[in-house]
Amino acid sequence: MSALIPNNKKRGNKKPLLNMYWMYGIIILSLIGLYYFQDGSQTKEVDWTEFEKAATEGYVEKIVVLSQNGIAEGYLTPEGAKAEKFVDNPTSDGDKKIECTIPSAEKMQDKIDAWNAALVAAGKPEIKVNYEKGSDLMKFFWFFGPILVFIFFMVYMSKRMAGGGGAQGGIFNVAKSKAKVFDKNNGSTVTFKDVAGLAEAKVEVEEIVEFLKNPQRYTELGAKIPKGALLVGPPGTGKTLLAKAVAGEADVPFLSMSGSDFVEMFVGVGAARVRDLFKQAKEKAPCIVFIDEIDAVGRARGKNPNMGSNDERENTLNQMLTEMDGFGSNNGVIILAATNRADMLDKALLRPGRFDRQIYVDLPELTDRMEIFNVHLRNIKVAADLDVEQLARQTQGFSGAEIANVCNEAALIAARNNKQEVEWNDFMAAIDRIVGGLEKRSRIITDDEKFSIATHEAGHATIGWLIEYGDPLVKVTIVPRGRALGAAWYAPEERQIMPTQALLDKMCGLLGGRAAEEVFLGQVGTGASNDLERCTKIARAMVMMYGMSPQLPNLNYNDSTGQEYGFTKPFSEGTASVIDQEVMRIVNEQYERAKAILREHAAQHNKLRDMLVEREVIFHDDVQGVLGERPWKSRTDEIMEINRKEEAKKGLLPPPDQKDDSKIGDDKGEETGSDEDDDAGTPPPFNK
Ligand code: ATP
């Protein structure tokens, strides 16, 4: 394979004969020449005696005294210009001058006065006199200053645009692709072992590596090697990591670029860079080209409302489409690309023949999260009894990047507290911090405010506990964190499809805080704005996207491609007002429902509120102690129990009876029981 890798070093040594620095030198020299020979004048240096002789004999018509330089220039009359003793080349055009050093400007004036008196007496014309200050250097800079500044500006700009690339950079290299090349000598150190979970995605990309290593295995049977694969998924799920692992394992050159690297302030540069990238790739074949964040150039063409500003991007995309279908399928260049927004990409880019495969890289499931934790805990000194499975359960909805962040944050917290190893509590504090922001105990909160925050949070906790699709609670706090004054942590089920009732219950839970304020405080405050925003969004989605409103059944006004409607609405004014009414009705119904539940369970709510005021943090067990077993627990639990048995069968988890569930603590070191049968996690809290 390595024989196919062109020798870059050799090629890099070939320097152009006339590089840019030579060009600049030539330009400056020509300017200097131009300055000195601009008017074709001739100057001959003479001594004082000669100068005086020329002046008194009437060969000088004008004298310019350059006071700072201490010289005088005598402009010769036509007769003087013919005299060979004063001029080297009498036949040439232009002014002829003689020049000599003078004792001083004052003495020179006396001399000129005496010469003029003698000349007048002899009936000859007087010599005109002029005094000038400037030196030659000053004159030079006045003349060339602006040009030099312009040249330096151009050099500076072209270097900046080429990323300070020295002699090889410059404005003239702007069309070169900026791809980073990894090959045998300069390889990526990431391997598939560093990528945890993502089993299906790994199989697909491993196959791509295999295509390049043993192409004949496939081509012998008549199969064509895929040209490209698109990694699609939410941010931080490991798409770039997977591509890096391919670079590390493939044993072929790997060219990596980001979509935004094609974008430049010059028209046509994007397309030129695409051409250059593919040219490089073809030279290095077999190889892999990776384009990260391809949506920067690959967005659907034509329907963008940015009036013409997307022309350049379209050109780049067109070039990419041409290049991707412009080489035969077996020539050993495979394009990998990654994006969070496959829905925004141009359909032509996604068709088989360009990106033949789309590989979905989803948020990690429980077992994947465990594996990711294990990868990132490799270099961290953790307590021997750390329960990684519980950690994975606590981080439902986290991406790989967030899990990596939890591990690092936990290590930082442990180090800050001078611990020898990272313990469970450090991880919990890290999770809380990542989800809710930094704890702000120093924020001054009055007793009244504390009481109303506790009322609000206890409202969320009570409703969440008592409704069917309420998410199991992990903990409630009224310690300010980030921008929130209090928060309730839940562990929602991992659901693919939400029934209508689940959405309504979610809204009811969100409105629980505001409802508690009204029922128990008699007035509402500003703290519920985030809850209301999320609640309204759900109601609007129910009416406009999911067709769940009886007034507008089975209608979806959403445009998932983002290209259909532009500035127009896909419904009439009449429908718009029905939508508004329906959204309002749904929210109001859930609000009334929340208030009714709270009135019914006022005593329990108040007990929770008092516990919160007193302790600032309460946990799942405390809520269970006050409100009893969850009436709707069974459905979630059954599913979770089945899952757990399945996992135990596969040997991924210990059987349920061996599990130790008593470890969830908080950053104050308190211990409490977890919601033992739920996939306990820490989703974004219902912040206030
Ligand atoms: P984006 O779409 O925002 O570019 P991405 O999907 O490309 O995100 P990566 O850059 O690959 O995400 O991941 C960021 C970091 O998260 C990685 O450097 C790694 O530390 C961690 N990470 C993500 N997924 C995994 C995983 N499956 N195994 C191990 N680490 C992971």
Side-chain angles (χ1 to χ4, degrees):
M1 290 285 175
S2 57
L4 286 159
I5 306 170
N7 190 341
N8 286 332
K9 266 195 184 164
K10 238 185 179 177
R11 203 182 294 169
N13 285 342
K14 254 198 223 164
K15 289 205 174 136
L17 279 176
L18 208 64
N19 72 18
M20 284 315 295
Y21 288 109
W22 279 102
M23 298 276 282
Y24 295 136
I26 291 169
I27 292 172
I28 290 172
L29 283 177
S30 338
L31 288 174
I32 294 172
L34 193 71
Y35 171 73
Y36 277 107
F37 303 108
Q38 52 180 317
D39 51 2
S41 67
Q42 282 186 49
T43 306
K44 184 171 184 181
E45 264 187 59
V46 293
D47 57 29
W48 176 251
T49 326
E50 287 276 310
F51 195 92
E52 190 169 29
K53 208 169 159 198
T56 49
E57 285 177 8
Y59 288 137
V60 176
E61 61 182 10
K62 186 174 107 183
I63 292 178
V64 175
V65 180
L66 298 169
S67 51
Q68 260 182 17
N69 295 13
I71 55 171
E73 287 176 345
Y75 285 73
L76 297 172
T77 57
E79 299 82 59
K82 284 177 200 143
E84 269 188 27
K85 57 181 169 177
F86 299 133
V87 188
D88 292 334
N89 182 10
T91 52
S92 72
D93 294 335
D95 287 337
K96 314 267 181 329
K97 294 185 276 184
I98 50 174
E99 185 184 277
C100 79
T101 311
I102 55 169
S104 75
E106 293 80 38
K107 282 192 183 155
M108 187 66 192
Q109 183 59 48
D110 296 343
K111 275 282 173 197
I112 294 172
D113 289 345
W115 295 339
N116 275 342
L119 285 169
V120 171
K124 290 182 183 168
E126 273 189 1
I127 301 169
K128 291 178 212 138
V129 191
N130 199 8
Y131 286 88
E132 280 181 18
K133 228 179 169 189
S135 69
D136 239 17
L137 206 63
M138 288 295 287
K139 262 166 94 183
F140 181 86
F141 280 112
W142 271 116
F143 193 80
F144 287 121
I147 300 173
L148 287 175
V149 168
F150 179 71
I151 291 175
F152 281 122
F153 176 74
M154 289 298 287
V155 174
Y156 175 72
M157 284 303 286
S158 62
K159 278 202 167 174
R160 289 266 322 249
M161 276 183 286
Q168 289 299 312
I171 200 162
F172 302 96
N173 272 350
V174 82
K176 291 257 181 294
S177 85
K178 295 178 176 177
K180 276 196 210 109
V181 182
F182 300 94
D183 54 28
K184 267 193 166 172
N185 315 320
N186 157 34
S188 159
T189 49
V190 181
T191 64
F192 284 129
K193 273 195 206 128
D194 300 307
V195 186
L198 308 180
E200 296 84 7
K202 255 202 245 176
V203 170
E204 298 242 16
V205 291
E206 271 169 345
E207 202 179 26
I208 287 173
V209 174
E210 193 56 28
F211 286 148
L212 292 174
K213 282 186 175 165
N214 296 312
Q216 56 297 350
R217 200 173 118 196
Y218 301 89
T219 49
E220 267 169 17
L221 292 174
K224 284 183 187 158
I225 304 289
K227 282 185 191 163
L230 185 66
L231 299 163
V232 185
T237 42
K239 299 181 290 297
T240 313
L241 189 73
L242 208 53
K244 279 190 198 160
V246 174
E249 302 256 353
D251 212 13
V252 295
F254 185 92
L255 284 82
S256 165
M257 240 180 125
S258 154
S260 58
D261 289 343
F262 293 105
V263 184
E264 194 61 76
M265 66 184 198
F266 301 116
V267 175
V269 168
R273 285 188 179 165
V274 172
R275 271 193 296 276
D276 191 62
L277 174 70
F278 281 85
K279 190 168 146 251
Q280 273 191 53
K282 282 176 205 169
E283 282 166 6
K284 291 181 193 299
C287 73
I288 295 172
V289 174
F290 175 59
I291 304 173
D292 207 355
E293 317 294 355
I294 195 172
D295 43 303
V297 284
R299 270 172 204 224
R301 289 162 295 173
K303 289 172 188 163
N304 199 320
N306 294 348
M307 268 89 78
S309 67
N310 57 336
D311 267 0
E312 171 58 4
R313 196 173 46 70
E314 285 193 3
N315 289 343
T316 312
L317 174 59
N318 283 336
Q319 187 62 44
M320 193 171 281
L321 296 177
T322 321
E323 291 288 348
M324 283 192 75
D325 219 10
F327 49 84
S329 48
N330 287 344
N331 72 353
V333 178
I334 292 188
I335 320 290
L336 275 183
T339 179
N340 310 128
R341 304 291 315 267
D343 54 316
M344 300 292 279
L345 294 182
D346 198 278
K347 297 276 174 293
L349 196 61
L350 297 176
R351 77 152 166 80
R354 292 207 175 94
F355 285 112
D356 303 278
R357 294 178 170 196
Q358 288 198 22
I359 303 171
Y360 287 94
V361 184
D362 265 335
L363 286 175
E365 310 257 317
L366 178 67
T367 45
D368 292 340
R369 290 199 297 274
M370 279 170 68
E371 284 182 37
I372 298 175
F373 264 112
N374 284 329
V375 165
H376 290 284
L377 291 178
R378 276 198 302 230
N379 298 326
I380 294 180
K381 270 195 206 164
V382 291
D385 60 348
L386 185 79
D387 188 342
V388 177
E389 185 211 324
Q390 270 302 336
L391 274 182
R393 286 185 183 278
Q394 289 285 316
T395 47
Q396 188 201 331
F398 276 41
S399 66
E402 282 168 322
I403 292 175
N405 196 13
V406 166
C407 295
N408 192 47
E409 199 63 50
L412 291 177
I413 291 170
R416 199 178 303 143
N417 296 328
N418 294 325
K419 291 190 185 171
Q420 296 305 310
E421 48 189 24
V422 191
E423 293 166 1
W424 174 261
N425 287 343
D426 304 318
F427 283 95
M428 288 301 101
I431 292 171
D432 288 356
R433 183 180 172 161
I434 285 164
V435 174
L438 196 60
E439 203 170 75
K440 290 188 179 148
R441 285 187 179 270
S442 60
R443 191 179 279 177
I444 297 163
I445 291 179
T446 62
D447 284 348
D448 274 357
E449 281 175 330
K450 207 170 172 184
F451 189 78
S452 71
I453 297 168
T455 307
H456 181 106
E457 295 304 337
H460 283 309
T462 312
I463 303 273
W465 194 261
L466 295 171
I467 54 180
E468 180 176 4
Y469 289 93
D471 296 321
L473 183 120
V474 177
K475 81 175 188 186
V476 188
T477 168
I478 57 166
V479 178
R481 232 175 223 288
R483 286 173 49 220
L485 293 174
W489 269 242
Y490 298 95
E493 282 178 38
E494 297 193 23
R495 270 202 198 97
Q496 307 302 325
I497 294 177
M498 294 281 256
T500 316
Q501 191 55 45
L503 292 174
L504 294 174
D505 283 0
K506 192 157 193 86
M507 288 170 65
C508 187
L510 282 169
L511 291 166
R514 164 61 63 101
E517 287 175 33
E518 190 186 324
V519 172
F520 301 110
L521 300 177
Q523 63 170 343
V524 293
T526 56
S529 69
N530 184 267
D531 298 336
L532 299 184
E533 185 186 328
R534 293 169 63 188
C535 182
T536 314
K537 276 187 187 156
I538 296 175
R540 191 161 276 277
M542 284 176 73
V543 178
M544 293 180 65
M545 276 172 70
Y546 305 130
M548 287 176 176
S549 153
Q551 301 294 317
L552 300 165
N554 308 326
L555 289 167
N556 182 350
Y557 297 112
N558 186 42
D559 169 29
S560 58
T561 61
Q563 294 153 17
E564 288 293 327
Y565 307 132
F567 294 115
T568 57
K569 283 188 201 135
F571 43 77
S572 68
E573 288 303 317
T575 310
S577 78
V578 176
I579 291 173
D580 287 342
Q581 282 163 17
E582 281 298 277
V583 170
M584 225 176 286
R585 178 187 61 79
I586 295 172
V587 173
N588 283 343
E589 276 177 13
Q590 292 315 310
Y591 188 57
E592 291 306 319
R593 183 176 163 217
K595 284 199 293 187
I597 296 173
L598 285 173
R599 282 197 191 102
E600 197 184 324
H601 297 87
Q604 289 100 319
H605 169 277
N606 292 347
K607 201 162 176 200
L608 284 179
R609 178 199 60 203
D610 295 342
M611 283 166 87
L612 264 175
V613 171
E614 190 191 336
R615 288 162 33 187
E616 297 193 335
V617 186
I618 58 171
F619 296 91
H620 175 274
D621 278 7
D622 301 314
V623 183
Q624 185 165 328
V626 174
L627 287 163
E629 284 283 313
R630 275 192 79 207
W632 304 102
K633 199 175 165 192
S634 54
R635 182 183 295 204
T636 311
D637 290 349
E638 268 171 27
I639 298 167
M640 292 314 300
E641 198 51 43
I642 292 167
N643 283 350
R644 191 173 292 189
K645 278 183 188 151
E646 285 290 312
E647 283 157 5
K649 251 193 250 164
K650 284 188 234 157
L652 290 167
L653 295 177
D657 45 328
Q658 288 175 20
K659 225 172 80 25
D660 173 16
D661 273 336
S662 59
K663 276 194 194 146
I664 302 181
D666 75 342
D667 42 7
K668 291 194 295 188
E670 288 178 30
E671 285 230 330
T672 180
S674 75
D675 192 354
E676 58 179 55
D677 296 314
D678 277 314
D679 188 11
T682 313
F686 292 165
N687 287 347
K688 263 188 64 169

